[in-house]
Amino acid sequence: MKNEDFLHLEKLMNFLASHFLQKNAWADVSKSEWAYIVAELNGLLQERNKKQKIKKETDLFGTNYLYEHLIINKLKAYKGKKDLGGAVNLI
Protein backbone atom coordinates (compact mmCIF):
# COMPACT_ATOMS: atom_id res chain seq x y z
CA MET A 1 0.00 0.00 0.00
CA LYS A 2 1.12 3.53 -0.70
CA ASN A 3 1.51 6.16 2.00
CA GLU A 4 -1.63 7.89 0.71
CA ASP A 5 -3.63 4.65 1.09
CA PHE A 6 -2.61 4.38 4.74
CA LEU A 7 -3.60 7.98 5.36
CA HIS A 8 -7.05 7.31 3.88
CA LEU A 9 -7.42 4.13 5.94
CA GLU A 10 -6.43 6.04 9.07
CA LYS A 11 -9.03 8.72 8.30
CA LEU A 12 -11.71 6.06 7.82
CA MET A 13 -10.86 4.34 11.10
CA ASN A 14 -10.81 7.70 12.91
CA PHE A 15 -14.24 8.47 11.45
CA LEU A 16 -15.65 5.13 12.64
CA ALA A 17 -14.19 5.67 16.12
CA SER A 18 -15.64 9.16 16.25
CA HIS A 19 -19.05 8.29 14.82
CA PHE A 20 -19.80 5.19 16.87
CA LEU A 21 -17.86 5.83 20.08
CA GLN A 22 -17.07 9.57 20.19
CA LYS A 23 -13.34 8.80 20.40
CA ASN A 24 -10.81 11.02 18.68
CA ALA A 25 -8.47 8.42 17.21
CA TRP A 26 -8.50 4.79 16.13
CA ALA A 27 -5.68 4.04 18.58
CA ASP A 28 -7.98 4.93 21.51
CA VAL A 29 -10.44 2.15 20.63
CA SER A 30 -10.14 -1.28 22.28
CA LYS A 31 -10.61 -4.66 20.60
CA SER A 32 -14.04 -5.12 22.17
CA GLU A 33 -15.09 -1.65 21.01
CA TRP A 34 -14.06 -2.55 17.44
CA ALA A 35 -16.25 -5.65 17.76
CA TYR A 36 -19.14 -3.37 18.78
CA ILE A 37 -18.55 -1.17 15.71
CA VAL A 38 -18.55 -4.25 13.47
CA ALA A 39 -21.87 -5.37 14.98
CA GLU A 40 -23.34 -1.92 14.34
CA LEU A 41 -22.09 -1.87 10.74
CA ASN A 42 -23.45 -5.37 10.11
CA GLY A 43 -26.81 -4.30 11.53
CA LEU A 44 -26.88 -1.29 9.21
CA LEU A 45 -26.03 -3.46 6.21
CA GLN A 46 -28.80 -5.91 7.04
CA GLU A 47 -31.28 -3.08 7.62
CA ARG A 48 -30.40 -1.51 4.27
CA ASN A 49 -30.88 -4.81 2.44
CA LYS A 50 -34.21 -5.35 4.18
CA LYS A 51 -35.45 -1.85 3.23
CA GLN A 52 -34.35 -2.31 -0.37
CA LYS A 53 -35.90 -5.80 -0.42
CA ILE A 54 -32.68 -7.44 -1.54
CA LYS A 55 -33.15 -11.18 -1.33
CA LYS A 56 -29.46 -12.07 -1.53
CA GLU A 57 -27.91 -12.80 1.85
CA THR A 58 -25.92 -9.86 3.16
CA ASP A 59 -22.13 -10.12 3.14
CA LEU A 60 -21.17 -9.23 6.70
CA PHE A 61 -17.90 -8.35 8.39
CA GLY A 62 -16.35 -10.91 10.71
CA THR A 63 -16.45 -9.98 14.40
CA ASN A 64 -12.75 -9.12 14.59
CA TYR A 65 -12.23 -7.97 11.00
CA LEU A 66 -11.63 -4.29 11.74
CA TYR A 67 -9.33 -4.95 14.66
CA GLU A 68 -7.29 -7.88 13.38
CA HIS A 69 -7.08 -7.11 9.67
CA LEU A 70 -7.10 -3.31 9.50
CA ILE A 71 -5.76 -2.18 12.87
CA ILE A 72 -3.13 -4.83 13.62
CA ASN A 73 -2.10 -5.94 10.13
CA LYS A 74 -2.29 -2.58 8.37
CA LEU A 75 -2.22 0.49 10.61
CA LYS A 76 -0.08 -0.74 13.50
CA ALA A 77 2.32 -2.47 11.11
CA TYR A 78 2.60 0.72 9.04
CA LYS A 79 3.14 2.88 12.14
CA GLY A 80 5.84 0.46 13.34
CA LYS A 81 7.68 0.60 10.02
CA LYS A 82 7.33 4.38 9.89
CA ASP A 83 8.76 4.73 13.42
CA LEU A 84 11.63 2.35 12.65
CA GLY A 85 12.35 4.11 9.38
CA GLY A 86 12.70 7.43 11.19
CA ALA A 87 14.99 5.92 13.83
CA VAL A 88 17.24 4.38 11.19
CA ASN A 89 17.60 7.72 9.43
CA LEU A 90 18.73 9.38 12.66
CA ILE A 91 21.62 6.99 13.22
Side-chain angles (χ1 to χ4, degrees):
M1 289 180 83
K2 294 184 276 184
N3 186 34
E4 184 178 319
D5 296 333
F6 284 106
L7 293 175
H8 288 296
L9 179 59
E10 189 169 33
K11 284 181 184 179
L12 171 64
M13 301 311 278
N14 285 338
F15 170 78
L16 291 174
S18 173
H19 180 74
F20 288 102
L21 301 171
Q22 288 74 43
K23 300 227 177 167
N24 293 328
W26 62 267
D28 298 335
V29 180
S30 70
K31 182 178 180 178
S32 60
E33 289 172 324
W34 283 117
Y36 165 77
I37 291 173
V38 166
E40 289 291 317
L41 289 173
N42 285 340
L44 291 171
L45 289 169
Q46 289 174 323
E47 184 179 316
R48 184 201 65 179
N49 282 0
K50 190 181 239 184
K51 280 184 183 178
Q52 294 179 357
K53 297 178 182 169
I54 297 172
K55 296 188 191 302
K56 181 183 170 201
E57 190 172 323
T58 308
D59 292 329
L60 301 176
F61 293 109
T63 306
N64 293 317
Y65 175 77
L66 291 178
Y67 183 75
E68 291 177 0
H69 182 69
L70 299 179
I71 299 297
I72 292 175
N73 294 339
K74 301 288 185 200
L75 290 175
K76 285 186 178 181
Y78 173 72
K79 291 289 184 186
K81 286 180 186 177
K82 186 175 173 183
D83 293 340
L84 289 176
V88 171
N89 291 335
L90 294 175
I91 296 176

